[in-house]
Amino acid sequence: SYLSVFVENYENWYIKQQEIDIQNQYGEARDRLLARIKVSIERMKSGIDVIVGDTKVFKAFQLANLAMLMQMVHGSEFSKLKDKDEQRYVAPNYLDVKYSSYKWRPFQLAFILLTIESLVNEDSKHRGVLDLIWFPIGGGKTEAYLAISAFELFYRRIKYGEKGAGTVIIKRYPLRLLTAQQFQRASILICACELLRKED
């Protein structure tokens, strides 16, 4: 699958890093970082295994990706409108070629694959790991964690039915302006999730 090729490319890069000869004083730091990368690669592979090996996970993964596409389209295409009646609303065809520019950045896809196994497997050894996205402003951190949020929402409803409803994600921001911006983006995603839920 394309996901496997994605991880294989990262693993090939990781192997090349092991072959680089560096000064002894940096050896310990290199080994520590490479060990973390190795664990990340193993976790991403586990994520892929869970996606292709469990029909409920696969369905939730598909729905989360569609919901994120809807969120991205509405967040960019309609965010410039000041008034809802400014132009006639036409529901977009999200699978139209003109939306093919909406793609995951490598770190976003890596984060999604990295965390999925520990979300669905209650006995996962990575269940208690805090996965932190450390990336510059405007780099796409929000989409990465919103995708995981959408996945978790869909997965719980698919697996547990009505019992899967309720509070699953808690978000907290240190700045008021940031809270308002993130609330808007999360709201678009929740509306997209709800539309998809109503279809099934």
Side-chain angles (χ1 to χ4, degrees), residues 50-118:
V50 169
I51 290 168
V52 299
D54 186 319
T55 54
K56 291 178 181 176
V57 174
F58 183 63
K59 177 81 171 171
F61 182 71
Q62 287 179 307
L63 288 169
N65 274 279
L66 179 54
M68 283 304 301
L69 175 62
M70 294 166 73
Q71 186 267 348
M72 290 179 201
V73 168
H74 284 272
S76 61
E77 302 267 322
F78 303 103
S79 64
K80 297 168 188 73
L81 300 179
K82 301 243 187 296
D83 186 302
K84 67 179 179 64
D85 297 321
E86 193 173 319
Q87 71 181 45
R88 184 173 168 270
Y89 175 75
V90 178
N93 172 11
Y94 301 103
L95 302 180
D96 194 307
V97 173
K98 72 178 183 176
Y99 298 126
S100 62
S101 61
Y102 293 98
K103 298 176 182 172
W104 290 120
R105 294 174 183 167
F107 90 89
Q108 294 170 325
L109 183 56
F111 181 76
I112 295 165
L113 296 177
L114 185 80
T115 54
I116 278 185
E117 187 272 339
S118 60

Side-chain angles (χ1 to χ4, degrees), residues 10-190:
Y10 184 50
E11 189 169 20
N12 290 337
W13 174 84
Y14 159 75
I15 292 167
K16 288 178 185 172
Q17 302 314 299
Q18 291 178 308
E19 297 166 357
I20 295 174
D21 191 25
I22 63 167
Q23 297 174 9
N24 286 339
Q25 68 191 61
Y26 302 117
E28 186 180 332
R30 181 194 64 178
D31 293 344
R32 184 177 68 248
L33 293 172
L34 288 176
R36 290 178 185 171
I37 291 171
K38 184 179 181 184
V39 170
S40 295
I41 291 168
E42 290 169 1
R43 288 182 68 193
M44 284 188 271
K45 287 180 177 179
S46 296
I48 293 170
D49 290 343
V50 169
I51 290 168
V52 299
D54 186 319
T55 54
K56 291 178 181 176
V57 174
F58 183 63
K59 177 81 171 171
F61 182 71
Q62 287 179 307
L63 288 169
N65 274 279
L66 179 54
M68 283 304 301
L69 175 62
M70 294 166 73
Q71 186 267 348
M72 290 179 201
V73 168
H74 284 272
S76 61
E77 302 267 322
F78 303 103
S79 64
K80 297 168 188 73
L81 300 179
K82 301 243 187 296
D83 186 302
K84 67 179 179 64
D85 297 321
E86 193 173 319
Q87 71 181 45
R88 184 173 168 270
Y89 175 75
V90 178
N93 172 11
Y94 301 103
L95 302 180
D96 194 307
V97 173
K98 72 178 183 176
Y99 298 126
S100 62
S101 61
Y102 293 98
K103 298 176 182 172
W104 290 120
R105 294 174 183 167
F107 90 89
Q108 294 170 325
L109 183 56
F111 181 76
I112 295 165
L113 296 177
L114 185 80
T115 54
I116 278 185
E117 187 272 339
S118 60
L119 282 175
V120 301
N121 179 7
E122 294 180 9
D123 298 321
S124 172
K125 62 181 179 180
H126 303 291
R127 186 84 167 181
V129 173
L130 170 67
D131 291 301
L132 177 68
I133 306 175
W134 187 268
F135 214 79
I137 291 173
K141 295 183 296 295
T142 300
E143 282 72 24
Y145 81 74
L146 283 180
I148 285 296
S149 301
F151 171 82
E152 180 69 1
L153 290 168
F154 284 123
Y155 180 70
R156 287 176 60 89
R157 289 305 289 263
I158 291 168
K159 184 174 181 181
Y160 302 113
E162 289 294 322
K163 292 180 181 176
T167 303
V168 183
I169 300 118
I170 297 175
K171 300 179 359 160
R172 182 178 180 275
Y173 299 99
L175 300 171
R176 194 172 292 174
L177 178 61
L178 188 60
T179 303
Q181 292 169 338
Q182 296 293 320
F183 175 77
Q184 185 178 26
R185 292 163 82 176
S187 298
I188 296 169
L189 176 66
I190 294 299

